[in-house]
Amino acid sequence: MGSDADELDERHPARVMARENRVFSGMVVRAQDHVRQARELPDDELDPTLLDLLKDDLAFLSKVSLHYRRKEELLVPVLADHGETSLPRRVQEDDDRVRTCLWMASSLLDGAEGRPSGSNLESAAEQLAGACDAIDLVAEREDDGLIPLALEVLGDDEWALVARRSEEPAYVAGDGAPALWTSPIERAEAAVRRAIDAGRLPGASGA
């Protein structure tokens, strides 16, 4: 993530996106270790513990759908309003690749329930590996391209709208959603209202 974004309030939607990418990158490393174990497991050997680990990896990585949905439904349309469609389109294509690989991995892991053999687990693990590669690619394109682009073209009022429309369940980094980010203008207006309420400033007529 660029230095400009690094200096943002941690509640800013762009910072939240980048933080979630780091969370997913850490989970990808964990999943890749289990993928390696599945590849090394003899075809006829059963390993129900590894099946459970792969299913846990899948459950967490599937949370990217929340991250992607928030990006696609809230950020991409605003970028389109500014005429920026090429990079968002490429990122969305990568999102779809992640979803497809995760769906395939889920189906194959469900099929391995009755017989978690090396061959069955490896098939599921290969789809999970594809999802991991695509998740890393999406994160790179967001951190190095999409987020800097959005920071360049979106104004504070547009970021505030993105923040207000973000649903709490869509946050997947840490323990729930951060406190809502507000624009500097909104914070200044709130400070004036507090001053009026406290009697430090005269209230506007008709307010």
Side-chain angles (χ1 to χ4, degrees), residues 15-24 60 63 66-67 70 168-179:
R15 276 294 288 272
V16 174
M17 284 183 65
R19 187 162 63 248
E20 288 180 345
N21 281 335
R22 290 194 291 272
V23 170
F24 286 125
F60 191 94
K63 292 182 180 181
L66 301 172
H67 176 97
R70 179 157 32 87
E168 183 172 344
Y171 291 99
V172 294
D175 299 324

Side-chain angles (χ1 to χ4, degrees), residues 30 33 45 53 69 72 119 144 164 166 190-191:
R30 178 181 185 273
D33 183 57
E45 185 174 331
L53 290 172
R69 187 182 70 192
E72 293 167 356
S119 58
D144 296 339
R164 285 196 298 271
S166 296

Side-chain angles (χ1 to χ4, degrees), residues 64-65 68-69 71-72 88-104 127 130-131 134-135 137-138 141:
V64 295
S65 63
Y68 295 168
R69 187 182 70 192
K71 171 185 64 182
E72 293 167 356
R89 186 183 305 114
R90 291 200 302 274
V91 172
Q92 286 182 278
E93 289 171 355
D94 293 329
D95 293 352
D96 288 339
R97 178 186 167 199
V98 172
R99 293 182 179 109
T100 298
C101 288
L102 290 174
W103 182 86
M104 289 295 296
Q127 293 297 326
I135 287 170
L137 178 60
V138 170
R141 284 188 171 167

Side-chain angles (χ1 to χ4, degrees), residues 58-157:
L58 175 68
F60 191 94
L61 290 175
S62 293
K63 292 182 180 181
V64 295
S65 63
L66 301 172
H67 176 97
Y68 295 168
R69 187 182 70 192
R70 179 157 32 87
K71 171 185 64 182
E72 293 167 356
E73 294 181 359
L74 301 180
L75 185 59
V76 169
V78 182
L79 285 170
D81 289 342
H82 287 271
E84 300 290 349
T85 59
S86 179
L87 178 59
R89 186 183 305 114
R90 291 200 302 274
V91 172
Q92 286 182 278
E93 289 171 355
D94 293 329
D95 293 352
D96 288 339
R97 178 186 167 199
V98 172
R99 293 182 179 109
T100 298
C101 288
L102 290 174
W103 182 86
M104 289 295 296
S106 177
S107 178
L108 290 168
L109 286 173
D110 286 344
E113 284 278 3
R115 182 174 171 76
S117 64
S119 58
N120 289 338
L121 293 181
E122 183 178 6
S123 296
E126 291 304 330
Q127 293 297 326
L128 196 60
C132 287
D133 290 342
I135 287 170
D136 276 343
L137 178 60
V138 170
E140 180 180 349
R141 284 188 171 167
E142 287 184 4
D143 289 345
D144 296 339
L146 192 70
I147 293 175
L149 174 64
L151 289 172
E152 180 180 343
V153 302
L154 268 64
D156 281 339
D157 56 339

